Amino acid sequence: MRHVFLLFSLLPLISHAQSPELATNNITWTSPSKNAGESMPCGGGDIGLNVWAENGDVLFYIARSGTFDENNSLLKLGRVRLHLTPNPFDQGTFKQELALQTGDVTLTGKAGQTTAQVHVWVEVHRPVVHVEISSNARLSAEATYESWRFADRRTKGKENNQNSYKWAPQGDVSTRHDSIGFRNQDIEFFHQNRAQTVFDVTVQQQGLAAVKAQLYNPLHQLVFGGAMQGPNMRPAGTTRGQYLNTPYHGWKLRSQAPARTHSLVVALHTATVPTAPQWQQGLQQTLAAARQNPKAARQRTLAWWRDYWQRSYIHIQPNQAATNAPSGRPAATTSSCATCWAAMPSASGPPSSTAASSPTTRC
């Protein structure tokens, strides 16, 4: 009985423990990235981001669990590119930090006398991405939603390993295009699965047509996507380009006037509904909730991260903090650094959250 009493007396101490290594093992870079292969994980709930800076712009990919298309491919939801004018991220000093305790990424740029911060975080309890910009000078902000699914694209060879056809496609396999455009002052994007999916092909191939109505089809009438908006930001036309080897189309929002602060949200919505207007109705509810009280949402998210890091942990080499390599990329020579870094994707988003690139290439 004495041992049992001691165990229960220690439980309050264990439940409120927090790893002392977190503050010393934030990942910090002091130079921009070459491409998406050098990105940081960030996220909340079932949303995962890859965040990086490149050629004076701040970019991030968006992923979410459950966004399966007609071929059962888990599709990313797009890429966001942020550009500031005048640009503090162009040819100046640079810092990008992943804060483990709060699960967010902050990028700081300074060029001349102008300094700006871009803070990226994701709500844990709602599917909403927040981008907050602050500066010591008035800046104009331009945010572009970029998509490579502006048209149907045939998948060939090993590309089909990403879907359920794998090495045995039944004829031509294509990733269908998304629906993207301006809606009022927002950029709206969504993928609506067609009636015929790989589920139907599998049922026929396996001789299950007689019981098809009894089988669950998770791809049927699935619609997923979201909208990007910002106060005092308005539609500013479209653009085209190519990132690495992939062409894309972009839809722009631009601030109405220069200011010291700007903000942007990307609200996501997934639903099984027969029509796009029904999906849009659900998306508008998420957008309305995101606008109500972002400060309260931030506090709820911070509380979740505090609880997350108060779970059990093993502290390896407690006296050895993470060090930065001369290039500005963390050397990550300690096991504790690697452990915290590896924990981020599982805490902040789905397994696909780092599929756009491999963040560890820079750690």
Side-chain angles (χ1 to χ4, degrees), residues 184-313:
N184 299 322
Q185 306 301 323
D186 307 345
I187 300 170
E188 183 182 88
F189 53 93
F190 65 91
H191 187 95
Q192 183 176 23
N193 282 352
R194 277 65 169 177
Q196 183 76 12
T197 70
V198 68
F199 173 86
D200 302 286
V201 176
T202 302
V203 168
Q204 188 66 33
Q205 186 185 59
Q206 298 299 318
L208 298 172
V211 295
K212 183 178 180 180
Q214 304 174 38
L215 303 177
Y216 172 59
N217 180 0
L219 305 179
H220 181 58
Q221 295 183 341
L222 185 63
V223 187
F224 51 86
M228 184 169 77
Q229 65 173 211
N232 302 317
M233 300 193 78
R234 297 294 181 266
T238 60
T239 185
R240 298 185 180 190
Q242 179 167 307
Y243 185 73
L244 300 180
N245 297 321
T246 305
Y248 67 86
H249 287 186
W251 288 257
K252 296 181 179 183
L253 296 179
R254 185 177 295 130
S255 57
Q256 290 185 290
R260 289 186 172 88
T261 61
H262 299 280
S263 63
L264 188 75
V265 298
V266 182
L268 305 178
H269 182 56
T270 301
T272 300
V273 290
T275 68
Q278 289 174 288
W279 174 85
Q280 290 168 330
Q281 184 178 3
L283 173 65
Q284 290 305 312
Q285 293 174 357
T286 302
L287 281 168
R291 288 191 294 261
Q292 284 181 352
N293 197 337
K295 290 184 178 180
R298 179 60 179 158
Q299 291 305 311
R300 288 193 298 269
T301 296
L302 290 174
W304 186 93
W305 280 103
R306 282 195 297 270
D307 291 342
Y308 175 80
W309 290 114
Q310 285 172 357
R311 300 174 186 176
S312 300
Y313 63 88

Side-chain angles (χ1 to χ4, degrees), residues 149-216:
R149 290 196 302 275
F150 55 85
D152 292 354
R153 191 177 71 84
R154 183 183 176 189
T155 55
K156 304 176 183 178
K158 292 183 178 180
E159 283 184 309
N160 285 310
N161 287 340
Q162 69 182 313
N163 58 49
S164 289
Y165 288 109
K166 305 301 181 187
W167 55 87
Q170 307 296 304
D172 290 341
V173 178
S174 296
T175 299
R176 301 298 183 181
H177 67 275
D178 291 356
S179 297
I180 311 170
F182 296 110
R183 182 178 175 86
N184 299 322
Q185 306 301 323
D186 307 345
I187 300 170
E188 183 182 88
F189 53 93
F190 65 91
H191 187 95
Q192 183 176 23
N193 282 352
R194 277 65 169 177
Q196 183 76 12
T197 70
V198 68
F199 173 86
D200 302 286
V201 176
T202 302
V203 168
Q204 188 66 33
Q205 186 185 59
Q206 298 299 318
L208 298 172
V211 295
K212 183 178 180 180
Q214 304 174 38
L215 303 177
Y216 172 59

